[in-house]
Amino acid sequence: MKPTLFFKFLRLLPICFFLISICRLYPGAQDFYDDLTVFEAVIQGSYTDDYVYVLMFDGEFYVSPQQIAQATGITISSDERSGYWGNTSKKFYIDVQNGTAGFNGKHIKIDGRDFMEYGGQFFFTADFYQKLFLIHLDFDQRNLLIKIDSDESLPRIQASDMRKNSAKNAAQSYDSFNEYSFDKRLFAWPVLDFTLSKNWNKSGDHYSQSDSYAIDAGMLLLGMDADFHIFGNSYVNDRSPRMRATLSRIFLQEPGNFINLRNFQAGDILGTSGGFFTASTNGRGAQASSFKDFVTSADKTITLSGPLPEGWDAELYLNNQLISFRQPSFAGRYEFANIPVIYGLNNFKIVFYGPTGEIRFEEQRYYSGRSPVKAGELGYNISAYQQGRYLLESNEPFVNDSSALSFDSIGYYGIDDYITVMSGFTSLPDVEDSGILRQYGMLGGQLVLQGVSLQYNAQYGFENDSIGHHFDAQGNIKVADIMARYEYYGDLKSPISYQYNEYLKNLFEIRLSGIFPFISIPWYLSFNDMDSHIGNNYKTISARLSPNFYGYFFSLENLWERNSFFGDGDTNTLVFNMAKMFGIITTNLSASYETYPRLDWAEASARLDYRLDRNTFLSFGGYATNRTYSSLDNLLALRASCGKIFFFGALTLDTGVDSDNSLSATITYKISFAKNPYKTAVFTDAKTQLSNSGAIAVKAVDESSRPVKGIGVRAAGQLKPEITNDDGIAILTDMPTYAKTYLSVENEIAEDIALSAEKEKYKYVLRPGTILPLEIPFTHKGEIEGQIKLKTAATSGRKLLIGYLVQLRSTDGKIITQTYTDSEGYFILEPAPFGNYKVVVVKDGKDAAEAEISLNDIIFAMQEPLAI
């Protein structure tokens, strides 16, 4: 029996070989499904999240044009046989019927080995894409990677590089806000911050008590940002109210207004910097500028100032380097005066620590060293004010006796992209005799060449025909950024040259800053040498290291001084600062040590903040001062504070004791009020100051204008979203103003899962001291799931149905959304609002099948496949 079976098997072999050969010669008889493999796309060396379906047959790899287009960024037209590369001038086409293809004016022939047709679709070999686009495809079967490379950057890489370069090279004057909605209202209800403090103090046998109050109001008034600060205390003018009032506005729209105005202030103004003859702008008056972020001072320094109530502290960082700490002044403000800026972008970050555990950040960007205007553009800074005067002075104990008007103006014009000319005129009271007005003129230019800025300014004093010169150079010398300047003041006697109660004759300064390679530690070095009119000299050398390890911010600075103004001789001091935030714990350390002429410590301080939760706060601190230079003993002081936020406001208790036998205790209450834009009601906030920050009142409504409860709205940088209440309202506070603000809607929190936000991302620019109403519409949406199949018997069975275009259209034919089918013909259309639609399958640019549906559920599954 065995031989008989063996011979029968031999007779069947030729038939088996014949059938196998037929299958090899006729691709339509082969089941390719098992040969379809998903490969991860690597585009010109960049790993992506995209996947490409690759068809493998007889040792060859085939990919559809739709898949290549999706991975590389090539645009493909609705007929799926043509499109363009990056820009519309570089077009391509694939004409299989006539056996030709073309790209960017070049034409090639298509032969039968370049493609495979199946189920009405064409799949092309790697060699075909190499011939047509000069794209090289490499298939890594072990790691399932398809590596796509090209001598020319692919459109996807080009778009990515453009975004990176745009973000990297964005100029300070041209940072576009066109995509952001701006609050253009003329009027808005005011917000109010109220603070009340009571202090008890015992020093030796002397006992005293005092109290203070402050009301800060912010609102929109005639389209301007109106800020009012009313304050008083028992130890100055017996609680009589004093006031500061300012109208301001930053204009961000592009194109700009016809006078190119970007920054405006009026009232009790405090400018960020001065010009070539004055160091600051403060007093009652007005200031206008065509720049938002630009350092205009001749000495390339900046003064950062703003409101800071009792109990708050502030830290200043420059380009991630810890610079200094501040506490509020008697006027309720912080001030970081004359901070040297470096070449290029200066990112200032101020971190505020509040008495009830608040942590708030404020960031400002200023540029130095490159032209503030582009070719053919006019820029300016103009200010007119009375120094040391206020709009309301009835209860002011500290005012300037002079009513002289100060005027300062600088104009810039860009001749081309490299040369800028500038001129200015200034009229100011004399520093030593405010009754005398001095006038100055300036004419100069700036040349930017290969990343280096060279600037010269001639200065003229009208009273005594005096001449002054200013020269500065800024740029990058590979190892560091450099700023060097020389000032010859001569007999100008301008306020900016008044130092140590004397007028300077000349000044030389150089600043270097950089980052040590390999160890990535920022460093700063400066040298300053100045001579006065009567022969005194002042020299300084300052060196600073600012390492940042695992969130620890350190600053170690050495300052050497030689000062003959006061006959002090040489001194050398080391200053150390450290800050670290450990989640709920924040620490600050500071110390200074004098190494010459005596070897002894000067001052040391420490502070530890502990937040039990968002509403409860403890703080412990102390400082010590070395007073061996006097007859007094060294001073040691300890401080403890605690704060709690209640529904009726925030309470803070601050106590202190020192070695001079002094005891003190201060209790502070604060609360903020604002009108709810959607209700005749006022809401309160004890966690932040509403008058100098932005806020948004969100209202979520469905298509029938009914409020939607449980919607999460998150602002960029917030840890947790705010959830809408029963009225559909959520209020977000303590947000940055005149900055790009992102809002995202987290609609999956809502009880009705079919509800979707019409927009999930919002971009806004907020104004200080006002509540922006934002209505977020929601719509019931559902997604559509279905499948396609082939009609003809010749192509029946398990077939490859990948890449067919499926569109969702409205009843009038408008395309709502579209997608492509997977390998088995399945598709899922993105969620669309409830309603009546058509689902249409497109083949070769024509409608191949359609079905009418009524969408009324979160998931609509089509019962029958669409036959094409």
Side-chain angles (χ1 to χ4, degrees):
M1 178 177 289
K2 290 181 181 178
T4 305
L5 290 175
F6 177 74
F7 285 116
K8 286 183 178 180
F9 175 72
L10 289 177
R11 287 197 298 267
L12 289 173
L13 281 179
I15 300 174
C16 293
F17 281 119
F18 176 75
L19 292 175
I20 292 173
S21 300
I22 293 296
C23 291
R24 299 277 291 182
L25 291 172
Y26 180 53
Q30 177 80 4
D31 185 1
F32 300 107
Y33 179 79
D34 294 332
D35 295 329
L36 185 68
T37 307
V38 176
F39 282 65
E40 183 179 355
V42 181
I43 311 299
Q44 291 185 292
S46 299
Y47 285 78
T48 69
D49 295 329
D50 284 343
Y51 293 90
V52 175
Y53 289 93
V54 178
L55 186 63
M56 297 183 290
F57 173 66
D58 198 18
E60 189 68 78
F61 297 89
Y62 296 85
V63 186
S64 70
Q66 294 88 347
Q67 295 282 292
I68 291 294
Q70 180 179 340
T72 61
I74 297 173
T75 302
I76 194 163
S77 301
S78 59
D79 62 8
E80 302 179 0
R81 304 284 178 84
S82 63
Y84 54 90
W85 169 306
N87 60 74
T88 54
S89 65
K90 300 176 67 173
K91 298 180 180 179
F92 76 88
Y93 73 92
I94 302 173
D95 187 351
V96 176
Q97 185 175 357
N98 294 312
T100 61
F103 170 62
N104 197 27
K106 176 189 69 175
H107 304 279
I108 64 172
K109 289 191 175 187
I110 305 174
D111 61 42
R113 291 171 297 179
D114 287 330
F115 69 96
M116 180 177 292
E117 180 181 5
Y118 187 73
Q121 292 188 83
F122 293 97
F123 297 82
F124 294 85
T125 63
D127 288 340
F128 172 78
Y129 295 112
Q130 172 75 21
K131 289 189 297 182
L132 181 61
F133 296 115
L134 298 180
I135 293 177
H136 179 69
L137 306 183
D138 183 28
F139 299 89
D140 182 350
Q141 289 183 267
R142 177 183 294 273
N143 299 304
L144 292 179
L145 298 176
I146 176 173
K147 300 177 182 179
I148 306 176
D149 290 294
S150 170
D151 292 339
E152 180 183 353
S153 292
L154 292 165
R156 178 168 181 164
I157 300 299
Q158 290 175 354
S160 176
D161 290 343
M162 287 179 63
R163 287 192 296 269
K164 291 177 183 178
N165 293 334
S166 176
K168 182 179 178 180
N169 299 322
Q172 74 277 14
S173 299
Y174 318 119
D175 188 14
S176 176
F177 282 79
N178 283 338
E179 297 181 3
Y180 295 79
S181 298
F182 191 81
D183 190 354
K184 298 180 180 180
R185 292 176 295 170
L186 293 178
F187 297 95
W189 286 94
V191 299
L192 298 174
D193 302 322
F194 177 72
T195 305
L196 178 64
S197 293
K198 182 70 176 180
N199 173 263
W200 297 268
N201 186 275
K202 183 179 182 298
S203 180
D205 296 330
H206 178 71
Y207 169 80
S208 63
Q209 57 178 314
S210 61
D211 52 69
S212 63
Y213 63 90
I215 301 173
D216 290 278
M219 63 181 298
L220 293 183
L221 184 62
L222 294 174
M224 306 291 289
D225 301 314
D227 176 65
F228 302 93
H229 178 58
I230 302 171
F231 61 103
N233 51 61
S234 59
Y235 48 87
V236 176
N237 276 7
D238 193 24
R239 305 183 184 86
S240 297
R242 301 155 64 190
M243 190 177 84
R244 306 286 184 266
T246 306
L247 286 175
S248 62
R249 172 74 184 271
I250 294 177
F251 299 87
L252 301 176
Q253 295 90 338
E254 290 187 359
N257 44 65
F258 73 99
I259 58 173
N260 199 24
L261 179 63
R262 299 293 294 270
N263 199 331
F264 176 78
Q265 292 185 43
D268 298 317
I269 63 173
L270 179 65
T272 56
S273 60
F276 279 82
F277 304 102
T278 180
S280 63
T281 303
N282 62 87
R284 60 188 181 193
Q287 180 173 346
S289 175
S290 63
F291 310 113
K292 177 178 179 283
D293 298 323
F294 180 63
V295 176
T296 61
S297 60
D299 59 0
K300 300 299 183 289
T301 62
I302 194 168
T303 296
L304 300 170
S305 179
L308 190 68
E310 287 291 337
W312 284 73
D313 298 287
E315 295 171 352
L316 177 66
Y317 295 82
L318 169 57
N319 293 346
N320 218 28
Q321 298 182 40
L322 178 62
I323 302 298
S324 188
F325 303 97
R326 287 293 185 275
Q327 290 185 326
S329 65
F330 76 93
R333 301 185 70 87
Y334 70 87
E335 183 173 288
F336 295 96
N338 300 321
I339 303 297
V341 298
I342 61 175
Y343 167 72
L345 175 62
N346 292 260
N347 271 316
F348 288 100
K349 182 174 74 172
I350 306 174
V351 184
F352 300 95
Y353 298 97
T356 50
E358 307 95 327
I359 300 179
R360 186 166 59 86
F361 299 90
E362 182 178 305
E363 294 193 58
Q364 300 180 43
R365 298 189 312 165
Y366 292 91
Y367 289 78
S368 179
R370 63 189 191 194
S371 176
V373 292
K374 55 186 177 181
E377 185 181 57
L378 178 67
Y380 59 87
N381 285 305
I382 302 174
S383 57
Y385 55 98
Q386 292 176 307
Q387 293 184 0
R389 304 297 299 269
Y390 307 101
L391 292 179
L392 297 176
E393 298 179 332
S394 57
N395 298 317
E396 285 291 343
F398 313 109
V399 294
N400 194 334
D401 293 334
S402 173
S403 297
L405 179 66
S406 299
F407 179 81
D408 189 30
S409 64
I410 303 177
Y412 301 84
Y413 181 75
I415 294 179
D416 56 28
D417 291 333
Y418 307 99
I419 300 176
T420 302
V421 294
M422 61 192 77
S423 64
F425 174 79
T426 302
S427 176
L428 296 164
D430 184 79
V431 176
E432 297 177 324
D433 186 353
S434 59
I436 300 176
L437 280 178
R438 294 185 177 272
Q439 283 81 37
Y440 308 93
M442 179 273 290
L443 183 65
Q446 179 185 27
L447 171 66
V448 178
L449 192 62
Q450 295 183 345
V452 177
S453 164
L454 302 175
Q455 182 174 319
Y456 170 77
N457 302 88
Q459 303 166 8
Y460 179 72
F462 287 92
E463 280 72 33
N464 55 5
D465 293 328
S466 55
I467 300 292
H469 305 277
H470 165 93
F471 176 81
D472 73 58
Q474 299 184 65
N476 183 277
I477 54 174
K478 293 187 178 180
V479 297
D481 289 324
I482 185 173
M483 195 288 288
R485 67 180 176 119
Y486 175 72
E487 307 276 0
Y488 177 75
Y489 297 111
D491 297 320
L492 284 175
K493 295 186 177 181
S494 60
I496 202 172
S497 68
Y498 195 75
Q499 304 278 343
Y500 301 108
N501 298 321
E502 295 181 31
Y503 284 107
L504 297 181
K505 189 80 172 179
N506 54 58
L507 177 151
F508 173 75
E509 181 183 17
I510 185 170
R511 303 175 197 159
L512 296 165
S513 64
I515 298 178
F516 284 115
F518 308 113
I519 56 177
S520 299
I521 296 180
W523 58 272
Y524 173 83
L525 180 66
S526 71
F527 171 73
N528 195 317
D529 186 1
M530 60 180 72
D531 296 302
S532 76
H533 253 272
I534 60 176
N536 283 319
N537 178 262
Y538 177 69
K539 288 186 176 70
T540 64
I541 298 177
S542 175
R544 183 175 70 236
L545 293 175
S546 302
N548 177 6
F549 300 116
Y550 302 105
Y552 289 85
F553 288 88
F554 296 95
S555 174
L556 180 62
E557 184 172 6
N558 186 84
L559 178 63
W560 173 84
E561 293 181 284
R562 173 173 291 172
N563 190 343
S564 66
F565 284 79
F566 307 118
D568 292 340
D570 292 4
T571 62
N572 195 80
T573 306
L574 280 171
V575 180
F576 171 79
N577 288 314
M578 190 277 285
K580 169 64 177 175
M581 189 182 299
F582 303 87
I584 62 174
I585 298 177
T586 302
T587 60
N588 286 296
L589 299 175
S590 179
S592 59
Y593 189 84
E594 190 172 301
T595 62
Y596 188 83
R598 61 193 182 100
L599 198 65
D600 204 353
W601 65 277
E603 192 173 80
S605 66
R607 193 184 80 212
L608 179 103
D609 298 341
Y610 181 66
R611 290 158 179 81
L612 299 176
D613 54 43
R614 289 189 67 188
N615 301 329
T616 310
F617 166 78
L618 294 173
S619 177
F620 304 94
Y623 67 90
T625 303
N626 191 339
R627 299 192 294 193
T628 55
Y629 56 85
S630 69
S631 59
L632 298 174
D633 294 334
N634 292 341
L635 178 65
L636 175 65
L638 299 175
R639 173 185 168 188
S641 302
C642 61
K644 177 72 175 177
I645 298 176
F646 301 93
F647 70 93
F648 55 82
L651 284 172
T652 306
L653 175 63
D654 183 87
T655 60
V657 60
D658 62 39
S659 57
D660 284 348
N661 198 24
S662 294
L663 295 171
S664 66
T666 303
I667 187 168
T668 302
Y669 171 78
K670 71 167 193 169
I671 190 72
S672 294
F673 300 90
K675 183 186 180 301
N676 191 319
Y678 299 106
K679 301 173 66 177
T680 308
V682 171
F683 70 90
T684 60
D685 189 336
K687 299 176 183 178
T688 185
Q689 282 190 294
L690 295 176
S691 65
N692 59 12
S693 63
I696 294 181
V698 169
K699 186 174 183 180
V701 296
D702 64 13
E703 55 265 71
S704 301
S705 298
R706 293 172 298 196
V708 180
K709 177 185 176 182
I711 296 297
V713 183
R714 186 196 303 269
Q718 287 188 337
L719 294 177
K720 295 181 179 179
E722 296 291 335
I723 309 300
T724 57
N725 58 18
D726 292 339
D727 298 318
I729 297 172
I731 297 177
L732 294 79
T733 60
D734 198 21
M735 300 176 68
T737 60
Y738 287 111
K740 297 176 179 179
T741 303
Y742 297 86
L743 288 180
S744 59
V745 181
E746 302 179 1
N747 54 323
E748 63 270 13
I749 301 174
E751 297 176 358
D752 188 349
I753 60 175
L755 275 173
S756 296
E758 292 187 6
K759 285 176 58 179
E760 293 186 352
K761 300 289 183 181
Y762 289 84
K763 297 180 178 181
Y764 272 92
V765 175
L766 302 182
R767 309 276 294 274
T770 186
I771 312 297
L772 176 69
L774 174 61
E775 189 170 281
I776 299 181
F778 277 75
T779 306
H780 287 84
K781 291 184 179 181
E783 65 181 29
I784 301 163
E785 300 177 355
Q787 187 185 19
I788 66 172
K789 69 177 182 179
L790 301 177
K791 293 179 182 178
T792 60
T795 55
S796 61
R798 296 177 65 196
K799 302 305 176 187
L800 187 63
L801 298 170
I802 184 175
Y804 281 94
L805 180 65
V806 182
Q807 295 179 338
L808 181 68
R809 301 179 186 174
S810 61
T811 54
D812 60 359
K814 181 181 178 182
I815 299 175
I816 307 300
T817 184
Q818 62 184 29
T819 188
Y820 290 94
T821 57
D822 65 10
S823 59
E824 293 187 336
Y826 286 100
F827 61 87
I828 300 176
L829 288 160
E830 291 184 357
F834 286 3
N836 297 319
Y837 298 99
K838 286 183 180 180
V839 178
V840 181
V841 182
V842 180
K843 178 181 178 183
D844 296 332
K846 298 179 180 180
D847 295 353
E850 68 176 48
E852 295 185 356
I853 66 165
S854 180
L855 179 60
N856 55 12
D857 202 349
I858 188 170
I859 297 177
F860 182 91
M862 299 182 66
Q863 300 301 314
E864 296 293 334
L866 290 166
I868 62 173

